[in-house]
Amino acid sequence: MVLISKQQKRLVYSYLFEEGVIVVKKDTHLKKHQHVDVPNLNVMCIMKTLVSKKFVSEMFCWNWYYFAITKEGVKFLSQYLGISENVLPKTFKSQPKKPGEEDERREERRGYGQRRGRGRGTRARGARTEEHEQKAETPVEQAPVAPEAKAQFYLSNKTEVN
């Protein structure tokens, strides 16, 4: 059991609320977390309790924990820290778009050729053409099996060869 002071908990909560995400290395012996002045083990324990209450979502990859705050977590942390509900974490804020930027991106995404797609054509995914249907109707001939291959198969299974 790890004893965590209210000051440490408040530091982690305020950082999480400000950024919206927190990254924690899976190393219990680190003296201090890389972003917050709290021992790494304490940050791991605090985040584990928030995950169990569904205030944060957790993802683990290559010995790093990635925690992202949820909507319920925003409500809880704003109430706990005494912040108005109008203030949101950075991950919840949308970036202002510059005029004309949308059109440039659309032109960059456009595929080569006359159509907009990426060479998939106009047919729906999984639709078959007449060519494919004709090929499917013709029976498939099985390749002849060499007698030596049959003999080796039967010998390996310890049965008699006819």
Side-chain angles (χ1 to χ4, degrees), residues 67-81:
F67 299 100
I69 194 167
T70 60
K71 291 180 182 179
E72 294 84 18
V74 171
K75 290 177 187 174
F76 168 75
L77 289 180
S78 63
Q79 184 180 15
Y80 184 87
L81 297 171

Side-chain angles (χ1 to χ4, degrees), residues 53 59 61 94 101 120 158:
K53 295 176 183 178
M59 188 167 77
C61 184
S94 62
E101 184 177 333
R120 293 189 181 129
K158 296 181 182 177

